[in-house]
Amino acid sequence: MSEINITVTVNGTKINANVKPEMNLLKFLRSQGFYDVKCGCEMGDCGTCTVIFNGSSVKSCITLAAQADGGTVWTNKGLGEVDELTQKLQKAFVEHGSIQCGFCTPGMIIAGKAYIEKGGKPDRNEIKKAISGNLCRCTGYKKIVDAIYDVAEQMSK
Amino acid sequence: MKNFSFVNVENKADALEVLHREKEKSCLVAGATNVMPFIRYEKINDKTLINIRNLQELRFIREEEDKIEIGPLTTIYDLENSEIIEKYAPALREAAQDFADPTTRNSATIGGNIANASPAADTATPLLALNAVVVAESKSGVRKIPIQEFFLGVNKTALQCDELITVIEVPKNAANSNSCFIKLGLRNAMAISVVSVAAGVELAEGKVAHANVALGSVAPTPVRAKTVEAALVGKEFTPGLVEETAKLVTEDISPIDDVRASGEYRKTVAAVLVKRALKKSGKI
Ligand SMILES: Cc1cc2nc3c(=O)[nH]c(=O)nc-3n(C[C@H](O)[C@H](O)[C@H](O)COP(=O)(O)OP(=O)(O)OC[C@H]3O[C@@H](n4cnc5c(N)ncnc54)[C@H](O)[C@@H]3O)c2cc1C
């Protein structure tokens, strides 16, 4: 079981490490200190590990770390430092009280960002579909939908 | 036991070379949405993971004279957003819209979906109704597998261990352009289907010229509703005919009881979905 050497640019910084061939991208990111990427179900069901990988939102638990070799990854925290849309979403989540325990928040924000970037409108039903791969066990979703709606409305003006 | 190794391939020729070398140890990895859970639950072990995710040359949707060609690395997101698919294979587009959730759709590929061969694979049911052809390539050559012969059982296909799906072909014809897909799940999003139906009919002067009906999650593989199809062809396409023939679907399926539904329920609901899909496709 030989380890393989990979280089991944995470939040703008190049990271070089040895990984097991079967390691998922989630475990790799956390092993490198990116603890804002949460580990929930590790089956692709809960969505809290969602990151932007080579420009698309993906669930990092069902992506191989080795597949990210030579690629770029952005996490919610990294995006919050440079990306205006993510900053707007983070602010809206705070203002709308969309965070209770906070465990689902990083994935929800990235799902919201992916929705708005693909031209998503302030439409509650569509927003619900956009976050259908992200589970929240506290809020009942309403406030999360409110926050994404608010930002979608700001962006469509 | 784990014991995996990993190879990244940059082009199709490389992929075929590695498949030839690794044979039974080969495990192609595209979007990884099936492979990763399999690794986690040790359903697979001791494999050479061959990464084809970056094979952009196999990610395409092309229109040819008499067919459309879909590259296996085409994601479910791509299917959902393609005008060619919308025009010539709407059943496939509707299946893509109901598939998993938007994030998973960015990774999941059509090639991975059919090669994984789940009885509930959401692109398999439409491809079966559309009479698709799977083009498989290995170092020894290229062969075309009609989709009717592709699925052999749960997670079993006609592919050899050194073969790569390189194209999925869908004929251009009126039945395919009229096709539609209906999935019944336990909820509206992120649900594995309880029953799925794809149907495409072509009418000529009010009569059924062609009728293609396929179902998912009602047998070990997706199946064609041959009894229903035979009962439709040549007849006047009326709500009464559809009502009567849809019931015959119970002859074509062998659903089991599982965590999502009982076999009895699946039979009842399959007839209803076949009726709805036929009406939608024939616009009555
Ligand atoms: C949260 C979640 C929700 C899901 N929801 C659905 C759903 O609603 N409907 C549904 O149908 N499925 C669903 N799935 C299953 C899965 O996402 C799909 O089957 C997906 O299309 C698999 O594609 P992939 O590219 O990720 O395949 P991978 O996991 O990369 O590969 C799957 C299999 O296909 C083989 N393979 C891949 N590409 C090729 C090729 N070109 N030639 C030959 N063999 C190949 C691989 O070796 C492997 O055996 C879901 C999965 C998850 C995790």
Side-chain angles (χ1 to χ4, degrees):
Chain A
M1 190 164 42
S2 55
E3 296 209 330
I4 46 166
N5 186 265
I6 62 170
T7 304
V8 189
T9 306
V10 186
N11 296 339
T13 306
K14 261 198 178 150
I15 293 177
N16 184 270
N18 286 337
V19 297
K20 285 190 177 155
E22 72 276 15
M23 183 188 239
N24 63 28
L25 180 60
L26 165 65
K27 286 275 163 72
F28 167 74
L29 291 169
R30 289 183 63 86
S31 73
Q32 296 297 323
F34 297 96
Y35 296 119
D36 61 310
V37 187
K38 300 295 174 209
C39 178
C41 68
E42 253 195 296
M43 281 289 288
D45 287 323
C46 82
T48 190
C49 69
T50 304
V51 297
I52 305 280
F53 170 45
N54 290 347
S56 300
S57 56
V58 304
K59 298 177 183 180
S60 61
C61 73
I62 48 171
T63 307
L64 275 173
Q67 289 183 306
D69 187 24
T72 58
V73 172
W74 286 94
T75 74
N76 171 54
K77 194 173 172 193
L79 286 168
E81 282 160 17
V82 297
D83 176 57
E84 201 187 332
L85 176 57
T86 307
Q87 288 161 356
K88 283 198 161 95
L89 282 160
Q90 290 175 345
K91 191 158 166 272
F93 269 59
V94 173
E95 283 169 357
H96 286 272
S98 319
I99 305 164
Q100 282 187 31
C101 85
F103 196 78
C104 72
T105 310
M108 287 290 183
I109 289 187
I110 293 193
K113 171 179 156 69
Y115 173 72
I116 294 169
E117 274 178 348
K118 284 174 184 165
K121 298 275 161 329
D123 175 324
R124 299 192 71 88
N125 218 17
E126 291 302 316
I127 293 170
K128 284 182 192 169
K129 285 192 206 159
I131 60 168
S132 60
N134 299 73
L135 299 181
C136 170
R137 303 287 81 166
C138 318
T139 64
Y141 301 101
K142 182 181 176 295
K143 293 175 175 185
I144 293 171
V145 175
D146 289 345
I148 297 172
Y149 187 99
D150 185 354
V151 178
E153 200 169 42
Q154 292 172 40
M155 301 303 287
S156 64
K157 270 176 196 154
Chain B
M1 197 173 90
K2 281 215 155 78
N3 201 29
F4 287 97
S5 55
F6 179 89
V7 186
N8 185 54
V9 293
E10 299 288 347
N11 55 52
K12 188 177 85 179
D14 271 1
L16 298 182
E17 195 61 51
V18 179
L19 283 167
H20 178 72
R21 188 182 75 215
E22 299 293 325
K23 305 218 162 47
E24 281 84 13
K25 279 197 80 167
S26 300
C27 176
L28 293 163
V29 191
T33 63
N34 282 127
V35 171
M36 286 306 298
F38 283 170
I39 292 175
R40 171 127 194 265
Y41 282 97
E42 305 203 359
K43 272 182 90 173
I44 57 173
N45 276 298
D46 195 23
K47 292 277 181 197
T48 302
L49 302 169
I50 307 170
N51 181 32
I52 55 171
R53 191 176 190 129
N54 305 323
L55 289 194
Q56 287 301 320
E57 63 182 302
L58 294 184
R59 184 173 177 182
F60 55 80
I61 299 170
R62 292 194 289 247
E63 181 177 351
E64 301 291 324
E65 201 175 324
D66 55 350
K67 64 186 174 203
I68 59 171
E69 296 185 331
I70 306 169
L73 267 298
T74 300
T75 64
I76 306 303
Y77 172 81
D78 298 338
L79 291 177
E80 204 185 338
N81 290 284
S82 154
E83 281 172 20
I84 297 176
I85 300 290
E86 185 179 7
K87 187 163 173 202
Y88 296 108
L92 203 49
R93 179 164 186 262
E94 288 165 15
Q97 290 169 328
D98 278 351
F99 195 105
D101 61 274
T103 311
T104 306
R105 297 204 283 269
N106 288 337
S107 290
T109 65
I110 187 168
N113 193 233
I114 63 168
N116 184 60
S118 155
D122 278 330
T123 69
T125 312
L127 287 172
L128 187 58
L130 297 166
N131 291 312
V133 174
V134 181
V135 181
E137 215 170 314
S138 72
K139 260 194 91 179
S140 11
V142 185
R143 64 184 182 122
K144 292 196 171 191
I145 311 169
I147 192 91
Q148 293 87 334
E149 295 162 23
F150 183 79
F151 300 107
L152 302 183
V154 178
N155 300 133
K156 284 201 188 74
T157 70
L159 289 175
Q160 301 294 319
C161 62
D162 63 346
E163 280 182 322
L164 175 75
I165 300 172
T166 50
V167 186
I168 298 160
E169 301 178 346
V170 176
K172 284 207 243 174
N173 57 46
N176 286 355
S177 289
N178 291 337
S179 66
C180 67
F181 175 80
I182 303 177
K183 166 171 165 177
L184 178 79
L186 295 182
R187 59 197 280 257
N188 285 335
M190 272 285 274
I192 298 174
S193 74
V194 168
V195 176
S196 70
V197 175
V201 292
E202 179 181 347
L203 304 177
E205 290 162 14
K207 291 203 171 112
V208 180
H210 294 283
N212 306 323
V213 182
L215 293 97
S217 297
V218 291
T221 65
V223 290
R224 283 288 284 258
K226 296 205 172 111
T227 318
V228 178
E229 293 173 354
L232 284 165
V233 173
K235 309 261 174 62
E236 202 84 36
F237 193 69
T238 62
L241 175 78
V242 170
E243 197 88 36
E244 281 316 304
T245 49
K247 286 181 195 152
L248 303 175
V249 74
T250 50
E251 308 277 319
D252 298 312
I253 61 179
S254 49
I256 55 162
D257 298 343
D258 70 9
V259 287
R260 283 182 289 284
S262 68
E264 256 336 282
Y265 175 73
R266 284 192 162 96
K267 280 190 177 171
T268 311
V269 86
V272 176
L273 295 183
V274 167
K275 179 184 78 182
R276 286 185 195 158
L278 285 170
K279 283 186 169 174
K280 189 173 168 201
S281 175
K283 300 184 183 67
I284 55 168

